[in-house]
Amino acid sequence: MTSPTPSPGASPSGTALVVGATGIAGRALSRLLVDEGWQVLGLSRRGTSDVDGVVPVLADLTDAASLHEALAAHRPTHVFVTAWARQATEAENIRVNAGMVRDVLEAVRPAGSVRHVALLTGLKHYLGPFEAYGQGEVPDTPFHEDEARLDHPNFYYAQEDELFAGAQRDGFTWSVHRAHTIIGYALGNAMNMGQTLAAQAAICRERGVPMVFPGSRTQWDGVTDMTDAGLLAEQLLWAATTPAAADTAFNVANGDVFRWRWLWPRLAARLGVEAEGYDAEPRPLAEQMVDAGPVWAALAERESLRERDLDRVASWWHTDGDLGREMECLTDLARSRAAGFTGYRSTLACFLDLFDRLEADGVVPAPPV
């Protein structure tokens, strides 16, 4: 494929289209790309971005006509798909989320400018979809990228198939990035453990009760890993600009491992609340926090927090899903390291840095000194 001619005003690095620019991953990636001198188009349903230097693009990812109209005037060289939309069934997840990938690729196709497309997925590639999570034969940990697909229908597989078909048709290179639970900053995101735990601690402080671990004994005692949004952004950019990484799927995690029984009391201490660990059975946040909305609203009013709606700060269901698993969950990172990506983060430091940011920005209240 002949390299496209950059559009007028494009940066020397390229023009990046970040699909899902307001999410945890998309926001961190947008910030990195801007800092590295890229022209960045931030596509989202709201058509806004709080990252200086991003050109907002308003479009509905579930509407092909909206995407074509929004992207008609742009010539992206690199496309990063970091968004998905949860549906009621896996059949609908496949229809909607594979359709998003297909429609984005169709919308940028007329420009003939795309060199690389990156797709963000996750560990449900190895564990199965929500409807069959952990069922049947699941590969042993740590998960390796060359594991065969599971028998269950899975929207991650459908998204990959759309990516592969587009690459074969149009000649761009591709990369797939399978992240574990992502730690990062993005108000209103539906998959945000860091903000969820910070909100849990604030509500527990307000109620005068301990911060209770919501998950399973397996997660409390077992070894696991996580993925920092900044590290993920670095891998996305590396794979998009490194020939040795082309046409490859990569796991991406911080590089350290931990046990929640070690991490939980350290997070609670930083958040100014007593920690309580696993005891006999899981105690999901969806049950612990069932009536927490009014408590949060009053707290947010008193502390002048940015968001009175608890649902835009915390995602109990997602954190319950991660911490309630009855299986060990961690990934092998040898493939990306062998190809030259050696990024690393301390998971504890990632949480602590995020808590600092959330408090400084008025998303959650700081604990009393």
Side-chain angles (χ1 to χ4, degrees), residues 245-268:
D247 302 336
T248 309
F250 296 104
N251 293 330
V252 52
N254 287 343
D256 67 349
V257 295
F258 64 93
R259 302 179 197 273
W260 277 104
R261 70 188 188 202
W262 173 86
L263 186 63
W264 192 257
R266 286 164 172 79
L267 300 186

mmCIF file of all heavy atoms in Angstrom, residues 245-268:
data_model
loop_
_atom_site.group_PDB
_atom_site.id
_atom_site.type_symbol
_atom_site.label_atom_id
_atom_site.label_comp_id
_atom_site.label_asym_id
_atom_site.label_seq_id
_atom_site.Cartn_x
_atom_site.Cartn_y
_atom_site.Cartn_z
ATOM 1 N N ALA A 245 5.717 -4.575 15.339
ATOM 2 C CA ALA A 245 4.484 -4.835 16.075
ATOM 3 C C ALA A 245 3.265 -4.947 15.170
ATOM 4 O O ALA A 245 2.158 -5.206 15.654
ATOM 5 C CB ALA A 245 4.253 -3.722 17.100
ATOM 6 N N ALA A 246 3.447 -4.774 13.879
ATOM 7 C CA ALA A 246 2.309 -4.750 12.957
ATOM 8 C C ALA A 246 1.613 -6.102 12.898
ATOM 9 O O ALA A 246 2.245 -7.157 12.996
ATOM 10 C CB ALA A 246 2.784 -4.348 11.570
ATOM 11 N N ASP A 247 0.292 -6.047 12.756
ATOM 12 C CA ASP A 247 -0.544 -7.228 12.527
ATOM 13 C C ASP A 247 -0.382 -8.260 13.652
ATOM 14 O O ASP A 247 -0.207 -9.460 13.411
ATOM 15 C CB ASP A 247 -0.206 -7.864 11.164
ATOM 16 C CG ASP A 247 -0.380 -6.888 10.014
ATOM 17 O OD1 ASP A 247 -1.157 -5.926 10.161
ATOM 18 O OD2 ASP A 247 0.275 -7.080 8.973
ATOM 19 N N THR A 248 -0.469 -7.762 14.883
ATOM 20 C CA THR A 248 -0.228 -8.596 16.060
ATOM 21 C C THR A 248 -1.198 -8.219 17.174
ATOM 22 O O THR A 248 -1.563 -7.051 17.313
ATOM 23 C CB THR A 248 1.220 -8.421 16.567
ATOM 24 O OG1 THR A 248 2.137 -8.603 15.483
ATOM 25 C CG2 THR A 248 1.547 -9.431 17.654
ATOM 26 N N ALA A 249 -1.593 -9.229 17.954
ATOM 27 C CA ALA A 249 -2.388 -8.997 19.164
ATOM 28 C C ALA A 249 -1.465 -9.039 20.377
ATOM 29 O O ALA A 249 -0.592 -9.908 20.465
ATOM 30 C CB ALA A 249 -3.477 -10.040 19.298
ATOM 31 N N PHE A 250 -1.669 -8.110 21.309
ATOM 32 C CA PHE A 250 -0.828 -8.005 22.493
ATOM 33 C C PHE A 250 -1.674 -7.944 23.756
ATOM 34 O O PHE A 250 -2.664 -7.202 23.811
ATOM 35 C CB PHE A 250 0.026 -6.729 22.452
ATOM 36 C CG PHE A 250 1.021 -6.679 21.330
ATOM 37 C CD1 PHE A 250 0.781 -5.892 20.211
ATOM 38 C CD2 PHE A 250 2.209 -7.409 21.394
ATOM 39 C CE1 PHE A 250 1.696 -5.828 19.176
ATOM 40 C CE2 PHE A 250 3.129 -7.346 20.359
ATOM 41 C CZ PHE A 250 2.881 -6.557 19.244
ATOM 42 N N ASN A 251 -1.272 -8.704 24.767
ATOM 43 C CA ASN A 251 -1.756 -8.418 26.113
ATOM 44 C C ASN A 251 -1.091 -7.133 26.596
ATOM 45 O O ASN A 251 0.016 -6.794 26.173
ATOM 46 C CB ASN A 251 -1.400 -9.554 27.071
ATOM 47 C CG ASN A 251 -2.128 -10.841 26.763
ATOM 48 O OD1 ASN A 251 -3.253 -10.827 26.252
ATOM 49 N ND2 ASN A 251 -1.501 -11.973 27.078
ATOM 50 N N VAL A 252 -1.772 -6.436 27.503
ATOM 51 C CA VAL A 252 -1.170 -5.237 28.086
ATOM 52 C C VAL A 252 -1.594 -5.134 29.539
ATOM 53 O O VAL A 252 -2.788 -5.109 29.863
ATOM 54 C CB VAL A 252 -1.538 -3.961 27.294
ATOM 55 C CG1 VAL A 252 -3.043 -3.812 27.091
ATOM 56 C CG2 VAL A 252 -0.951 -2.723 27.959
ATOM 57 N N ALA A 253 -0.607 -5.146 30.427
ATOM 58 C CA ALA A 253 -0.820 -4.993 31.865
ATOM 59 C C ALA A 253 0.388 -4.285 32.449
ATOM 60 O O ALA A 253 1.401 -4.088 31.768
ATOM 61 C CB ALA A 253 -1.036 -6.355 32.534
ATOM 62 N N ASN A 254 0.279 -3.911 33.707
ATOM 63 C CA ASN A 254 1.303 -3.055 34.310
ATOM 64 C C ASN A 254 2.675 -3.706 34.411
ATOM 65 O O ASN A 254 3.691 -3.029 34.434
ATOM 66 C CB ASN A 254 0.860 -2.602 35.700
ATOM 67 C CG ASN A 254 -0.237 -1.570 35.636
ATOM 68 O OD1 ASN A 254 -0.463 -0.951 34.606
ATOM 69 N ND2 ASN A 254 -0.929 -1.386 36.747
ATOM 70 N N GLY A 255 2.703 -5.039 34.528
ATOM 71 C CA GLY A 255 3.981 -5.723 34.659
ATOM 72 C C GLY A 255 4.261 -6.189 36.073
ATOM 73 O O GLY A 255 5.179 -6.978 36.294
ATOM 74 N N ASP A 256 3.480 -5.692 37.050
ATOM 75 C CA ASP A 256 3.573 -6.238 38.403
ATOM 76 C C ASP A 256 2.358 -7.118 38.668
ATOM 77 O O ASP A 256 1.381 -7.095 37.919
ATOM 78 C CB ASP A 256 3.685 -5.131 39.454
ATOM 79 C CG ASP A 256 2.417 -4.286 39.565
ATOM 80 O OD1 ASP A 256 1.512 -4.411 38.699
ATOM 81 O OD2 ASP A 256 2.316 -3.474 40.511
ATOM 82 N N VAL A 257 2.422 -7.945 39.701
ATOM 83 C CA VAL A 257 1.276 -8.728 40.142
ATOM 84 C C VAL A 257 1.087 -8.480 41.635
ATOM 85 O O VAL A 257 2.012 -8.058 42.324
ATOM 86 C CB VAL A 257 1.452 -10.233 39.860
ATOM 87 C CG1 VAL A 257 1.499 -10.512 38.372
ATOM 88 C CG2 VAL A 257 2.701 -10.787 40.548
ATOM 89 N N PHE A 258 -0.120 -8.750 42.120
ATOM 90 C CA PHE A 258 -0.411 -8.481 43.520
ATOM 91 C C PHE A 258 -1.565 -9.357 43.972
ATOM 92 O O PHE A 258 -2.235 -10.000 43.157
ATOM 93 C CB PHE A 258 -0.769 -6.996 43.727
ATOM 94 C CG PHE A 258 -2.026 -6.569 43.009
ATOM 95 C CD1 PHE A 258 -3.258 -6.597 43.652
ATOM 96 C CD2 PHE A 258 -1.984 -6.154 41.683
ATOM 97 C CE1 PHE A 258 -4.428 -6.224 42.991
ATOM 98 C CE2 PHE A 258 -3.141 -5.770 41.009
ATOM 99 C CZ PHE A 258 -4.357 -5.808 41.665
ATOM 100 N N ARG A 259 -1.808 -9.377 45.273
ATOM 101 C CA ARG A 259 -2.991 -10.003 45.856
ATOM 102 C C ARG A 259 -3.836 -8.906 46.502
ATOM 103 O O ARG A 259 -3.303 -8.002 47.149
ATOM 104 C CB ARG A 259 -2.599 -11.052 46.914
ATOM 105 C CG ARG A 259 -1.712 -12.161 46.392
ATOM 106 C CD ARG A 259 -1.340 -13.149 47.502
ATOM 107 N NE ARG A 259 -0.188 -13.959 47.104
ATOM 108 C CZ ARG A 259 -0.266 -15.093 46.413
ATOM 109 N NH1 ARG A 259 -1.452 -15.557 46.062
ATOM 110 N NH2 ARG A 259 0.831 -15.759 46.094
ATOM 111 N N TRP A 260 -5.146 -9.023 46.352
ATOM 112 C CA TRP A 260 -6.009 -7.998 46.930
ATOM 113 C C TRP A 260 -5.891 -7.956 48.449
ATOM 114 O O TRP A 260 -6.070 -6.900 49.049
ATOM 115 C CB TRP A 260 -7.465 -8.215 46.499
ATOM 116 C CG TRP A 260 -7.727 -7.639 45.149
ATOM 117 C CD1 TRP A 260 -7.855 -8.312 43.970
ATOM 118 C CD2 TRP A 260 -7.869 -6.249 44.835
ATOM 119 N NE1 TRP A 260 -8.061 -7.425 42.932
ATOM 120 C CE2 TRP A 260 -8.080 -6.157 43.435
ATOM 121 C CE3 TRP A 260 -7.828 -5.081 45.590
ATOM 122 C CZ2 TRP A 260 -8.252 -4.932 42.792
ATOM 123 C CZ3 TRP A 260 -7.998 -3.863 44.947
ATOM 124 C CH2 TRP A 260 -8.211 -3.797 43.571
ATOM 125 N N ARG A 261 -5.579 -9.062 49.089
ATOM 126 C CA ARG A 261 -5.427 -9.035 50.542
ATOM 127 C C ARG A 261 -4.238 -8.156 50.951
ATOM 128 O O ARG A 261 -4.186 -7.673 52.091
ATOM 129 C CB ARG A 261 -5.281 -10.455 51.088
ATOM 130 C CG ARG A 261 -3.982 -11.152 50.753
ATOM 131 C CD ARG A 261 -4.008 -12.605 51.170
ATOM 132 N NE ARG A 261 -2.713 -13.243 51.025
ATOM 133 C CZ ARG A 261 -2.519 -14.551 50.916
ATOM 134 N NH1 ARG A 261 -3.575 -15.367 50.938
ATOM 135 N NH2 ARG A 261 -1.315 -15.054 50.792
ATOM 136 N N TRP A 262 -3.287 -7.943 50.042
ATOM 137 C CA TRP A 262 -2.168 -7.024 50.276
ATOM 138 C C TRP A 262 -2.550 -5.599 49.899
ATOM 139 O O TRP A 262 -2.242 -4.651 50.618
ATOM 140 C CB TRP A 262 -0.957 -7.480 49.458
ATOM 141 C CG TRP A 262 0.204 -6.530 49.490
ATOM 142 C CD1 TRP A 262 1.197 -6.484 50.430
ATOM 143 C CD2 TRP A 262 0.504 -5.487 48.543
ATOM 144 N NE1 TRP A 262 2.097 -5.474 50.134
ATOM 145 C CE2 TRP A 262 1.697 -4.852 48.982
ATOM 146 C CE3 TRP A 262 -0.110 -5.038 47.382
ATOM 147 C CZ2 TRP A 262 2.265 -3.779 48.284
ATOM 148 C CZ3 TRP A 262 0.460 -3.979 46.681
ATOM 149 C CH2 TRP A 262 1.633 -3.363 47.146
ATOM 150 N N LEU A 263 -3.249 -5.436 48.768
ATOM 151 C CA LEU A 263 -3.536 -4.098 48.252
ATOM 152 C C LEU A 263 -4.677 -3.402 48.991
ATOM 153 O O LEU A 263 -4.618 -2.189 49.234
ATOM 154 C CB LEU A 263 -3.863 -4.188 46.758
ATOM 155 C CG LEU A 263 -4.053 -2.858 46.023
ATOM 156 C CD1 LEU A 263 -2.766 -2.029 46.036
ATOM 157 C CD2 LEU A 263 -4.516 -3.100 44.582
ATOM 158 N N TRP A 264 -5.715 -4.133 49.351
ATOM 159 C CA TRP A 264 -6.934 -3.527 49.907
ATOM 160 C C TRP A 264 -6.657 -2.659 51.138
ATOM 161 O O TRP A 264 -7.101 -1.494 51.186
ATOM 162 C CB TRP A 264 -7.954 -4.612 50.226
ATOM 163 C CG TRP A 264 -9.329 -4.093 50.530
ATOM 164 C CD1 TRP A 264 -9.934 -3.969 51.750
ATOM 165 C CD2 TRP A 264 -10.284 -3.635 49.564
ATOM 166 N NE1 TRP A 264 -11.199 -3.467 51.618
ATOM 167 C CE2 TRP A 264 -11.444 -3.252 50.289
ATOM 168 C CE3 TRP A 264 -10.288 -3.512 48.180
ATOM 169 C CZ2 TRP A 264 -12.582 -2.753 49.667
ATOM 170 C CZ3 TRP A 264 -11.426 -3.019 47.551
ATOM 171 C CH2 TRP A 264 -12.553 -2.645 48.287
ATOM 172 N N PRO A 265 -5.930 -3.155 52.147
ATOM 173 C CA PRO A 265 -5.691 -2.292 53.323
ATOM 174 C C PRO A 265 -4.859 -1.060 52.989
ATOM 175 O O PRO A 265 -5.023 -0.013 53.635
ATOM 176 C CB PRO A 265 -4.965 -3.206 54.314
ATOM 177 C CG PRO A 265 -4.475 -4.354 53.520
ATOM 178 C CD PRO A 265 -5.411 -4.520 52.367
ATOM 179 N N ARG A 266 -3.996 -1.139 52.001
ATOM 180 C CA ARG A 266 -3.192 0.022 51.613
ATOM 181 C C ARG A 266 -4.061 1.080 50.930
ATOM 182 O O ARG A 266 -3.883 2.278 51.157
ATOM 183 C CB ARG A 266 -2.044 -0.426 50.702
ATOM 184 C CG ARG A 266 -0.944 -1.146 51.474
ATOM 185 C CD ARG A 266 0.008 -1.928 50.583
ATOM 186 N NE ARG A 266 1.142 -2.429 51.361
ATOM 187 C CZ ARG A 266 1.100 -3.491 52.148
ATOM 188 N NH1 ARG A 266 -0.036 -4.193 52.263
ATOM 189 N NH2 ARG A 266 2.170 -3.873 52.825
ATOM 190 N N LEU A 267 -4.994 0.650 50.098
ATOM 191 C CA LEU A 267 -5.913 1.607 49.479
ATOM 192 C C LEU A 267 -6.813 2.246 50.535
ATOM 193 O O LEU A 267 -7.046 3.464 50.519
ATOM 194 C CB LEU A 267 -6.761 0.916 48.414
ATOM 195 C CG LEU A 267 -6.026 0.267 47.247
ATOM 196 C CD1 LEU A 267 -7.029 -0.249 46.223
ATOM 197 C CD2 LEU A 267 -5.036 1.231 46.595
ATOM 198 N N ALA A 268 -7.340 1.437 51.440
ATOM 199 C CA ALA A 268 -8.217 1.966 52.490
ATOM 200 C C ALA A 268 -7.481 2.975 53.361
ATOM 201 O O ALA A 268 -8.040 4.033 53.714
ATOM 202 C CB ALA A 268 -8.766 0.821 53.337
#
